[in-house]
Amino acid sequence: MLSALIVMDVFSDSDNESTLGTRAHLMEDVDLVESSLAQLTDDHLLNTKEEIRNQLGRLETNLTTLNEKSSAAASQIEKYYEARREADRRLDTQYQREIAEGLDKYLTTVQRHHEQISQREERKIRSDAAFEEAKRKEKAMLEEKKRIEKAKAEAEAKAKAEEAMKAAIEAESRAMKEVAEREAAENLKKVDAVQAQETIVGAPTTKPVNSVGQAKGTALDGTNVSRSPGSMVRASRNALTLEQERLQKLKEVEEGNQALRLSSNKDFSTHERHIARLIRQIVGTKENVSTKTSQLLKIFMDPLCPQTISIAAFAKKVVSQCESSENAVFACSHVIVLVTSQVPSAMVLLLAEFHRACIYTVPKHVGYSEAAFESKESYYKTLGFREDADGKMESVKDYLKRLEAYMKLYGALVQTEVPGARNIHGLEEGWAWLARFLNAVPPNIYTATALYAFLQVAGFALFRKYKSQFRKLLNIISDNFLSALRGKENPGLKQIIVQIESYLEDRKFLQEPEGRTLRGSLLSSGMVPESEYTKDSYSRSGNSYFY
C-alpha cells in the first residue's frame, strides 16, 4: 500500500512540474507581487515536496525494516509452531504409549482376575459334577436293582403266561383236530347216506340241505344254529366257542400290554412300527420271506420289548395289512406259519384279530332283526362295516372288497405247508371251516363273496388232500348254495354267482393259484416247479430260515 502512495506521489510531482512551467510562462504577464508570491509558493511547494519525499523515503525505509522484521518474526513463529508441533507429537506418542501400557496392564490384570474366577468356577463345577455323578451312580444302582427285580418278576410272569398259553394252544389244537376228524368222518357218512337216498329215489332230496348231508337248521358237530329272538346268529357252536376263547385271550393280552405300558417308562411304539414296516415289505420270494421271518423273530426275542406286545402288534398289523397287499397273501401266509411255528401264541392272537375284523372267518353270520338293532347302521357295524369320520357308513362295494381280502389271507394261511415248520392252523382247519360255513351261514352276497375268496386260494390245496370228499362239497355248493342264491333274484348277486359257477364249471381248483409257489428271487421270470419246491426245505440257523 505504501508503494502505491509513492507511485502516486511521483505522478503528482510530474504534474506539478508541468504546472510550474505553465505558471512561469504566465509570470511574465503578472505583476512583481504576484511573481514573488508565486515564487514563495513554488519554494514552499518545493520544500513541502522535498519534505514529503524525505518522509516517504523514511517511511519506505521503515516499511522495509518492518517487512524484514515481520518476515523474521513470521519465520520465528513458524519455527516455534513447528517445534511446538514436534513437541506435541512427542508428547502424544509418549501419552499413547503410556495409555497402551496402562491398558495392557489393566487387561492383564482383568484377564488374570477372570482366570482366577474361571479356575474357582471350574473347581466348583468339577466338585458339583463329582457330587452329582456320585448321586447319579447311586440312583442308577437303585434303579438298576429295581429294574432287575422288575424284569425278573416280568420274566417269571411271562414264562408262566407262555407256559399257560402253550398249554392252551396245544389243548386247542388237539381239540380242533379231533373235531375236524370227527366232522370229516360224519361228512362222509352223511354224504354217502344222501347219495344212497338219491340213488334209490331217483331225484334229490326235497328237504333243503345246507351242507354235507345235513338238514337245514342243524350243524355237523351236532349243535343247533343259534336263533335268539333278538338276532339271528348263524354259526356252529364249536366255531362260536373257539371265537369267544380267542377273543378273550386277545382281550387279556391287550389289557396286560396296557398295564405294561403304564407301568414302564419305555416307548414300545418303535418296535410296533418296525413290525408294521417289515410286514409291508413282504413279497413273494423265498429270500424275502426268510429275511422278514428272521427279523420278526429277532424282534419277538428282543428283551427290551415284552413278547406279548410284539406278537399283539404282529397279529394286528398282518390282518390290517392284507387290505392293501392282496398280491402277497401267500408270501404273508408263509411268514405267519414260520413265525407261529416258533411262537405258537401268536396264532391265537392272529385268529382273534381275523374274527374281530371279519366275522366270516369264524364262520358266522348275523341276521337282521328290528328287535335286536336300533337301526340298520347298527346292524351293518355288527357285520363289520366301517364308519368314516363324518359318520357315513362305507359302501357295500368297499365292504366286500375288504371282506374278500381278509378271506383270501385266511384261505392262504390254512393251505400253507412249509417243510420243516408246523402250521398250527392248517388244512384240517380249512376243511372244518368249509364244513361249518356250508352248514351254518345262509347264502347271500356277503357269504358268497367270503366263500368264493376262500376257494380261490385254498381250493387247490383242499382238493389235493381231500380229493373226492372235496368234490362232494363242491357239488353241495352247486346244488344248494348257488341254487339258494339264484332264488333270491337279486341283481347284485349276479356277478358273484357267475364267478362261483365259473370256478366250479372250469374246475379252477385243479389250477395252482398264482403266487402260491414262492419265486427264487424278484428277477425270476417264472414260478419254481412244484417238484423243486417240495424238494427244497427250510434249514434253521438260530432264528433264521433259508430255503
Side-chain angles (χ1 to χ4, degrees):
M1 189 173 181
L2 291 175
S3 300
L5 290 175
I6 295 170
V7 174
M8 290 176 63
D9 289 337
V10 173
F11 283 111
S12 298
D13 292 340
S14 301
D15 293 337
N16 291 333
E17 289 176 358
S18 300
T19 303
L20 289 174
T22 304
R23 286 181 179 178
H25 178 71
L26 293 176
M27 287 178 60
E28 296 176 353
D29 298 326
V30 295
D31 56 10
L32 180 62
V33 177
E34 289 176 353
S35 297
S36 299
L37 183 60
Q39 182 67 36
L40 290 172
T41 303
D42 289 338
D43 292 337
H44 179 71
L45 287 174
L46 288 174
N47 292 332
T48 302
K49 289 179 180 179
E50 184 66 26
E51 186 178 356
I52 290 172
R53 287 191 185 97
N54 292 334
Q55 290 179 357
L56 287 175
R58 286 193 300 271
L59 288 173
E60 185 175 359
T61 301
N62 291 336
L63 181 62
T64 302
T65 303
L66 183 61
N67 286 336
E68 290 176 354
K69 289 181 179 180
S70 296
S71 297
S75 178
Q76 289 178 355
I77 291 172
E78 184 67 27
K79 290 179 181 180
Y80 173 77
Y81 283 157
E82 183 66 27
R84 186 62 181 269
R85 282 197 295 269
E86 183 65 24
D88 289 342
R89 281 196 296 270
R90 287 195 300 269
L91 290 174
D92 186 60
T93 302
Q94 182 179 0
Y95 180 69
Q96 290 179 353
R97 187 183 300 111
E98 291 175 354
I99 290 176
E101 291 175 354
L103 181 61
D104 184 61
K105 289 180 180 179
Y106 173 76
L107 292 177
T108 302
T109 303
V110 171
Q111 183 178 3
R112 187 180 301 110
H113 180 65
H114 285 173
E115 289 177 354
Q116 293 174 353
I117 294 175
S118 299
Q119 291 173 359
R120 287 197 297 270
E121 291 294 331
E122 187 176 354
R123 286 194 297 270
K124 183 179 179 181
I125 290 172
R126 283 199 298 266
S127 177
D128 293 343
F131 179 72
E132 291 294 332
E133 181 67 16
K135 287 178 62 179
R136 188 190 65 79
K137 287 183 178 180
E138 183 180 358
K139 185 178 179 181
M141 290 176 61
L142 293 175
E143 290 180 352
E144 181 66 17
K145 185 177 179 181
K146 291 180 181 179
R147 189 191 65 79
I148 292 174
E149 293 176 354
K150 183 178 179 181
K152 185 177 179 181
E154 290 179 354
E156 292 176 356
K158 186 167 68 174
K160 292 180 181 178
E162 288 294 330
E163 290 177 2
M165 187 176 290
K166 287 181 180 179
I169 290 293
E170 292 176 358
E172 181 185 6
S173 178
R174 286 195 299 270
M176 290 190 295
K177 186 176 181 180
E178 292 174 359
V179 170
E181 291 175 353
R182 184 169 66 252
E183 288 179 352
E186 291 179 359
N187 288 346
L188 294 179
K189 291 180 182 179
K190 298 295 183 180
V191 171
D192 292 340
V194 172
Q195 288 183 340
Q197 183 178 0
E198 291 178 352
T199 302
I200 295 173
V201 178
T205 171
T206 57
K207 191 173 183 179
V209 177
N210 270 347
S211 185
V212 185
Q214 189 71 17
K216 186 175 183 180
T218 61
L220 288 179
D221 55 10
T223 61
N224 293 326
V225 176
S226 172
R227 287 187 175 87
S228 63
S231 64
M232 299 285 290
V233 179
R234 306 292 297 273
S236 83
R237 187 169 299 169
N238 281 344
L240 291 175
T241 301
L242 291 173
E243 177 196 20
Q244 291 301 319
E245 291 176 354
R246 292 163 181 164
L247 291 175
Q248 179 62 28
K249 185 61 183 178
L250 178 60
K251 180 181 177 181
E252 293 173 358
V253 170
E254 289 179 340
E255 290 176 351
N257 290 342
Q258 184 64 21
L260 283 174
R261 288 188 176 93
L262 293 176
S263 62
S264 175
N265 55 0
K266 296 179 181 178
D267 183 14
F268 303 117
S269 59
T270 303
H271 295 78
E272 295 173 342
R273 289 194 297 270
H274 190 191
I275 291 172
R277 183 168 62 254
L278 291 175
I279 294 172
R280 288 195 300 269
Q281 294 172 351
I282 295 174
V283 295
T285 67
K286 297 179 181 180
E287 180 182 2
N288 178 271
V289 167
S290 175
T291 301
K292 301 309 173 188
T293 299
S294 300
Q295 292 173 342
L296 287 168
L297 288 174
K298 184 177 180 181
I299 296 175
F300 290 173
M301 304 306 172
D302 189 350
L304 298 179
C305 180
Q307 193 176 78
T308 53
I309 290 180
S310 298
I311 61 177
F314 170 77
K316 189 176 187 66
K317 300 301 181 182
V318 164
V319 174
S320 63
Q321 184 61 25
C322 74
E323 299 176 24
S324 58
S325 59
E326 181 179 328
N327 295 330
V329 289
F330 291 106
C332 191
S333 66
H334 275 71
V335 173
I336 293 172
V337 171
L338 288 171
V339 169
T340 54
S341 66
Q342 295 295 304
V343 188
S345 56
M347 182 62 80
V348 178
L349 303 187
L350 178 66
L351 293 174
E353 290 288 357
F354 265 125
H355 299 339
R356 190 154 63 178
C358 178
I359 61 174
Y360 299 106
T361 59
V362 176
K364 75 175 181 180
H365 178 73
V366 181
Y368 177 71
S369 171
E370 292 184 356
F373 299 100
E374 298 178 355
S375 62
K376 279 291 185 70
E377 287 75 12
S378 177
Y379 169 68
Y380 288 142
K381 290 180 182 179
T382 303
L383 292 182
F385 278 73
R386 287 179 178 173
E387 189 177 15
D388 60 19
D390 298 330
K392 185 179 180 181
M393 202 67 64
E394 70 177 329
S395 65
V396 174
K397 181 180 179 180
D398 293 337
Y399 171 72
L400 292 178
K401 184 178 179 181
R402 287 194 303 106
L403 187 155
E404 182 181 5
Y406 294 137
M407 290 308 305
K408 281 188 174 181
L409 180 57
Y410 180 76
L413 170 61
V414 299
Q415 63 86 53
T416 298
E417 296 177 351
V418 181
R422 175 172 170 262
N423 188 350
I424 303 174
H425 200 78
L427 272 175
E428 295 83 1
E429 298 302 326
W431 179 262
W433 180 91
L434 187 57
R436 290 166 180 164
F437 181 91
L438 294 174
N439 260 313
V441 301
N444 57 45
I445 190 169
Y446 310 123
T447 58
T449 301
L451 176 62
Y452 178 62
F454 180 83
L455 291 176
Q456 278 184 291
V457 293
F460 175 76
L462 288 172
F463 172 73
R464 287 207 311 178
K465 182 171 183 177
Y466 296 101
K467 300 197 182 293
S468 60
Q469 290 93 332
F470 181 70
R471 285 182 180 272
K472 292 174 183 179
L473 289 183
L474 294 182
N475 290 335
I476 291 173
I477 293 173
S478 177
D479 296 339
N480 296 287
F481 194 85
L482 281 179
S483 297
L485 286 178
R486 296 188 194 98
K488 292 181 179 298
E489 298 181 356
N490 184 353
L493 290 168
K494 183 177 180 180
Q495 181 179 359
I496 190 64
I497 291 174
V498 171
Q499 289 174 335
I500 297 176
E501 287 177 344
S502 174
Y503 180 85
L504 298 175
E505 293 172 2
D506 297 341
R507 305 172 73 185
K508 292 182 180 179
F509 53 87
L510 299 178
Q511 304 172 11
E512 181 177 359
E514 182 180 358
R516 181 177 182 271
T517 301
L518 302 183
R519 291 170 291 172
S521 67
L522 287 173
L523 300 177
S524 301
S525 58
M527 295 299 181
V528 180
E530 178 66 22
S531 59
E532 183 179 341
Y533 170 71
T534 55
K535 199 178 296 181
D536 294 335
S537 63
Y538 295 90
S539 62
R540 191 177 308 172
S541 175
N543 288 329
S544 301
Y545 293 82
F546 302 93
Y547 282 93

